[in-house]
Amino acid sequence: MTFQSEKWKKDFPILNQVVNDEPLVYLDNAATSQKPEVVLDALKTYYLTNNANVHRGVHTLAERATSQYENARETVRRFINARETAEVLFTRGTTTSLNWLAQSLEDTVIEPGDEIVISYMEHHSNIIPWQQLAKRKQAKLNYIELTEDGHLDMENARKQMTEKTKIVSLTHVSNVMGVVNPIRELADLAHSKNAVMVVDGAQAVPHMPVDVEALDADFYAFSGHKMLGPTGIGVLYGKRNWLERIEPIEFGGEMIDFVGLQDSTWKELPWKFEAGTPNISGAIGLAKAIDYLETIGMDAIMSHEQEVVKYLMPKLEKIEGLTIYGPKNLNDRTGVIAFNIEGIHPHDLATAMDMEGVAVRAGHHCTQPLMNYLSQPATARASFYLYNTFSDADKFVEALIATKEFFLNGLD
Ligand code: PMP
């Protein structure tokens, strides 16, 4: 495995650089991933040879662009095991997917007094759209509590889901603690209350095999840029019966069937949701990223991340004053490690680590309710991906120890 990640790393030219006189160790993958050369080449080839608007033209370039765009949808469908391409909508990313949904579901499922269930570990993108919906409709937003080591408390999940619950929206993997949630079990619970099950898959799809049918999710959202693809492209998967029930929230070109003076009709799925010129190159780049991920294999990626984390944890645990958030059982998590060192502000820590060439993140990670729940204003976060080697893990630990020495003992 060590050898393989060294090999994979070579496919990412950006990683081969010196930052602050040190070789770059990029550990901010939960924020965004780097892109392999094949993805960059696909974008360039598209613009060099095939660029045209989709679905409208009969000329050769328009046909090429359309078929590449629609083939990309088929690649996504296969990757997440959706039943048909009609169930795969291209969006700008997870945030857009969840915002679309919260608006589209508003008129279909929520009445005043109804309940929406999320959890304390959600990203702001999976909190605020529901908060706004709850305010508009005088509905109630309820939070599933967490266990001491950062799992969803399933006992509490059963309590939070009531006969009034109409929407359950939960993250598949936490962007702070890396904990993997039992989505199938949660979907079964939600369905037993006749609620719609929405999943934020932003931190899952890049790191593990995801099968939307096996999970029985009604909707599943994710972003291309966290899985080796370009920014500005994402996906909203929805079961056909749901997508047929809800209305689009954006209107304009591309999504219409017939436009009259006072009324219009929509195209069939999936196009009724895709108003305006889509991110064509983004979809093509995402499909290329998926091809790349598939040649390595999602099981291999997941087990590589877990091996790196298992290698790291005992070393981190030896650092006095260091607290790690999230599950102790390393099989329940991906390559995301949130931590704090007593006496050092995470921002100072991340700045000092950058001086050692190690890119980690510090802050609330768009999870302020989780930070409050953990009684922490902020944490540092290192997030590993397929191209992070064991040597990266060693450099991370070395930089951490040097940083701690620098701040607490004044040594350089
Ligand atoms: N949900 C989770 C769990 C995330 O980690 C992120 C990205 N940090 C998002 C949603 C939002 O994704 P995007 O910014 O790509 O829309």
Side-chain angles (χ1 to χ4, degrees), residues 24-83:
L24 171 65
V25 175
Y26 183 80
L27 300 179
D28 195 17
N29 294 289
T32 200
S33 66
Q34 299 303 348
K35 325 299 171 199
E37 207 156 3
V38 286
V39 168
L40 306 178
D41 288 345
L43 296 176
K44 193 169 172 192
T45 305
Y46 168 72
Y47 280 116
L48 280 176
T49 58
N50 299 328
N51 178 49
N53 212 330
V54 290
H55 301 140
R56 291 179 207 159
V58 289
H59 59 80
T60 303
L61 261 54
E63 277 172 9
R64 277 196 222 146
T66 303
S67 83
Q68 274 195 286
Y69 181 69
E70 291 304 331
N71 287 344
R73 199 187 306 273
E74 166 58 18
T75 302
V76 173
R77 183 207 66 74
R78 203 190 57 239
F79 189 57
I80 60 170
N81 196 32
R83 257 185 229 104

Side-chain angles (χ1 to χ4, degrees), residues 105 109 115-117 161-169 186-198 216-219 239 242 245:
L105 287 173
V109 305
E115 294 174 358
I116 301 165
V117 171
M161 294 189 209
T162 71
E163 302 310 319
K164 287 186 172 169
T165 304
K166 295 291 160 35
I167 300 170
V168 176
S169 188
L186 290 154
D188 288 348
L189 264 179
H191 291 148
S192 74
K193 304 291 180 191
N194 293 319
V196 50
M197 182 71 196
V198 179
D216 205 18
D218 297 306
F219 293 99
K239 282 184 188 162
W242 272 109
R245 271 179 74 186

Side-chain angles (χ1 to χ4, degrees), residues 30-32 92-98 121-126 171-176 200-203 222-226 233 365-367 381:
T32 200
R92 277 195 294 136
T94 310
T95 305
T96 306
S97 299
L98 294 170
M121 71 167 83
E122 303 309 317
H123 186 280
H124 294 164
S125 299
N126 196 31
T171 195
H172 197 168
V173 172
S174 157
N175 66 312
V176 175
D200 171 353
Q203 297 292 342
F222 57 100
S223 301
H225 69 96
K226 293 183 197 283
I233 186 78
H365 316 295
C366 300
T367 56
R381 181 186 71 186

Side-chain angles (χ1 to χ4, degrees), residues 151 266 298 306 351 359:
H151 284 97
W266 319 144
M298 296 312 294
Q306 289 189 332
T351 306

